[in-house]
Amino acid sequence: MPSRVTDAMNADLTRDYTEEEIKAALDSMGDLKAPGPDGVPALFYKKFWNIVGKDVVKEVTEVLNGGPMPGSWNETVVVLIPKVQKPERLKDLHPINLCNVVYKIASKVLANRLKRVLPDIISLNQSAFVPGRLITDNVLLAYELTHYMQNKRRGADSYAALKLDMSKAYDRVEWEFLRLMLCKLGFQNEWVERLMNLVTTIRYRVRVNGELTDEIVPQRGLRQGDPISPYLFLICAEAFSCLLNAAEERGEMAGVRVCQEAPSINHLLFADDSLLLFKLRIGVQNICKMFYLCMKIARADYKQG
């Protein structure tokens, strides 16, 4: 994985924070969207900015400059939203993380800076959450590639497509892996520590029947609802993209070309969903046949009880 973050990018990421930048982060939030444990929504800070603005800017700036984070900043209440009419299992509930507004302001400031450099460090195979790209771009590419594969009638080459879905993708992110990825891409240690300070100081409490459970201290994972989480997840997923591209460069796999002049595409990423496209070799073809037969046998056994 090459280092992609330049000195100019690092200088822009670590420059001094301004009041205008912090106010812009606040204004981009929904007025009444998901208030934190203190119950104070973003609308309060917007309406009374002339009173609380200086204190908010001072506290946010101190934390972003490496100061200690107040203990209550990263306290998160998890609310379980039913996904069905009568939930009976845990999977029938969708957890929503309610973060404090002041914390989200700091996270949003870092996210606004980080997303400016994402187009230069995230591969073109990824289309979600990257400014200047649309997820529909990869949808169109996937359609064209599968159309080519389905209508191919000549030649000895065979192709396959494999769709992967990462289960609980955000919850499975290892913090040490995220740190190593940030360093490998070339981010300055000062910037890495600021990001990791937001990620590793999380504390959860789950609201059940109107009451809060005991505090839960996680050891990994990114929060749904944190403004910077989607961008950090893309950085982690970039490792998978680099591994696939490196395997094709070594000749261990081959992507799909719709014509001789077209580029070879071996994967398309849609945030936590991915589509692998590759040319089948004899060994891989046999493995796919065996996998298909095993699935048929497993389904038959399941139906028979």
Side-chain angles (χ1 to χ4, degrees), residues 94-133:
H94 181 66
I96 297 294
N97 297 315
L98 306 182
C99 309
N100 284 305
V101 173
V102 180
Y103 166 84
K104 287 198 288 187
I105 293 175
S107 180
K108 189 74 172 178
V109 170
L110 295 183
N112 288 339
R113 291 191 176 190
L114 180 60
K115 69 182 182 181
R116 288 202 295 265
V117 304
L118 281 183
D120 297 318
I121 64 176
I122 301 298
S123 301
L124 293 175
N125 304 79
Q126 177 67 262
S127 64
F129 301 119
V130 180
R133 304 180 193 175

Side-chain angles (χ1 to χ4, degrees), residues 139-204:
V139 173
L140 293 173
L141 280 174
Y143 176 81
E144 292 296 332
L145 289 166
T146 52
H147 176 76
Y148 166 77
M149 294 163 59
Q150 288 179 341
N151 290 275
K152 187 177 182 300
R153 296 290 184 267
R154 298 180 180 178
D157 294 334
S158 299
Y159 297 97
L162 181 64
K163 182 184 180 297
L164 303 178
D165 184 9
M166 302 181 193
S167 175
K168 304 294 182 184
Y170 276 29
D171 298 336
R172 298 179 187 274
V173 172
E174 298 287 347
W175 290 343
E176 186 59 27
F177 178 75
L178 173 60
R179 183 191 297 274
L180 292 174
M181 280 295 300
L182 291 168
C183 294
K184 188 68 176 177
L185 287 171
F187 289 101
Q188 283 185 359
N189 290 333
E190 177 185 354
W191 174 257
V192 174
E193 291 305 318
R194 288 175 186 172
L195 294 179
M196 296 308 299
N197 188 36
L198 297 182
V199 173
T200 59
T201 56
I202 303 170
R203 300 293 183 270
Y204 291 111

